[in-house]
Amino acid sequence: MNITRPAKVKAYIDGAVATGSAATLFKNPHIATIIFTNGTAAGVAIQSAIDLHTLTPTEGNHKAIFDRAYDGEIWLNDYSDLVETIANEPANRTTQDEAATNILLSYLKHQKLDYAPKGTPETPELKVKNVGTGKVDVEIINWVSYKPSKTTIIMVEVSTGAVISLVVDELMIELTVKGQIVIKTSIGKGRFSHFKGLKPGVKYAVYAFSQNGKTQISELSEPIFVKG
């Protein structure tokens, strides 16, 4: 059973913690010590799951390795959001090239700089998972080729009878009855989003679309269903 990906996730987390926590630009208080502590814990959890599977190679223990790797990827995504913000602060850079250099100091790799218009971005493909009472994780599974400036994810109670559409650059939501709608927007190539405060046991439809600027907008994704 292949565990290459979890091992690589752990190695990347370890490198990010060691490098970022020592870098003047990113170490505490710029990024709180607890963030790096959580990263270390995520790496330890992956290794512990691998070790347990080595001793007791059951299907459940094998799955647990990938669950812990998933947690680690969430940490890396959160860390990259913090790094990107700090690296691009005007006080820390003058040009895009300097921001790219800043990102390298965190152990992360910057995206290739592109000064030309990006064009219409790819429609996000989603995977959703209930991760607790009223909590749902949303993952963009076509993230390798997915390079928008912004992604918007919409969760709406199915019981509302909502009709959701994109009309040019406007998101239209028409409800039949009252119900909960939760919308989150992430900047850049964020792979994971976490929703909390949803109604437990209630069925939601999850949609998403991506943007490059105001008018370069993807198609609205097909709905994926999950319970809060």
Side-chain angles (χ1 to χ4, degrees):
M1 294 184 177
N2 193 343
I3 57 170
T4 300
R5 182 176 68 84
K8 287 184 176 179
V9 171
K10 178 190 180 300
Y12 205 62
I13 291 172
D14 291 346
V17 169
T19 304
S21 63
T24 301
L25 196 60
F26 300 111
K27 68 182 182 180
N28 188 66
H30 307 292
I31 294 179
T33 299
I34 187 63
I35 300 297
F36 293 110
T37 300
N38 289 342
T40 298
V44 169
I46 294 171
Q47 187 60 56
S48 296
I50 292 172
D51 292 344
L52 179 58
H53 177 260
T54 300
L55 291 173
T56 311
T58 65
E59 182 177 350
N61 286 342
H62 183 257
K63 182 179 182 301
I65 297 173
F66 288 85
D67 289 343
R68 300 294 75 76
Y70 180 83
D71 295 340
E73 288 169 348
I74 292 175
W75 181 87
L76 281 169
N77 184 64
D78 291 342
Y79 175 64
S80 67
D81 287 345
L82 293 170
V83 166
E84 184 176 6
T85 298
I86 295 169
N88 281 281
E89 286 179 355
N92 296 330
R93 60 91 179 173
T94 302
T95 66
Q96 281 186 294
D97 293 287
E98 289 177 355
T101 300
N102 288 343
I103 290 172
L104 292 175
L105 298 175
S106 73
Y107 191 79
L108 301 180
K109 296 179 180 178
H110 61 79
Q111 296 183 35
K112 182 179 179 181
L113 297 179
D114 186 359
Y115 299 95
K118 290 186 176 182
T120 301
E122 187 174 348
T123 301
E125 298 175 14
L126 305 179
K127 176 181 177 182
V128 298
K129 178 181 179 182
N130 179 283
V131 292
T133 303
K135 299 177 182 179
V136 168
D137 280 343
V138 180
E139 178 184 2
I140 297 172
I141 59 176
N142 57 327
W143 63 277
V144 172
S145 58
Y146 184 72
K147 298 176 181 178
S149 297
K150 181 168 67 174
T151 301
T152 300
I153 299 174
I154 308 104
M155 298 192 68
V156 56
E157 283 187 61
V158 171
S159 63
T160 63
V163 177
I164 299 180
S165 59
L166 276 174
V167 181
V168 188
D169 60 349
E170 294 183 342
L171 175 65
M172 311 290 289
I173 303 177
E174 299 180 18
L175 303 181
T176 302
V177 298
K178 182 179 178 180
Q180 187 181 49
I181 300 173
V182 184
I183 299 175
K184 277 196 170 186
T185 300
S186 60
I187 304 300
K189 195 182 174 180
R191 183 177 173 186
F192 299 97
S193 293
H194 179 68
F195 289 78
K196 55 186 177 181
L198 303 175
K199 296 179 180 179
V202 171
K203 191 175 183 180
Y204 289 81
V206 188
Y207 301 81
F209 65 93
S210 57
Q211 291 179 252
N212 286 327
K214 293 182 178 180
T215 60
Q216 297 172 320
I217 302 174
S218 76
E219 299 290 330
L220 188 68
S221 70
E222 293 296 319
I224 304 292
F225 300 96
V226 67
K227 288 187 176 180

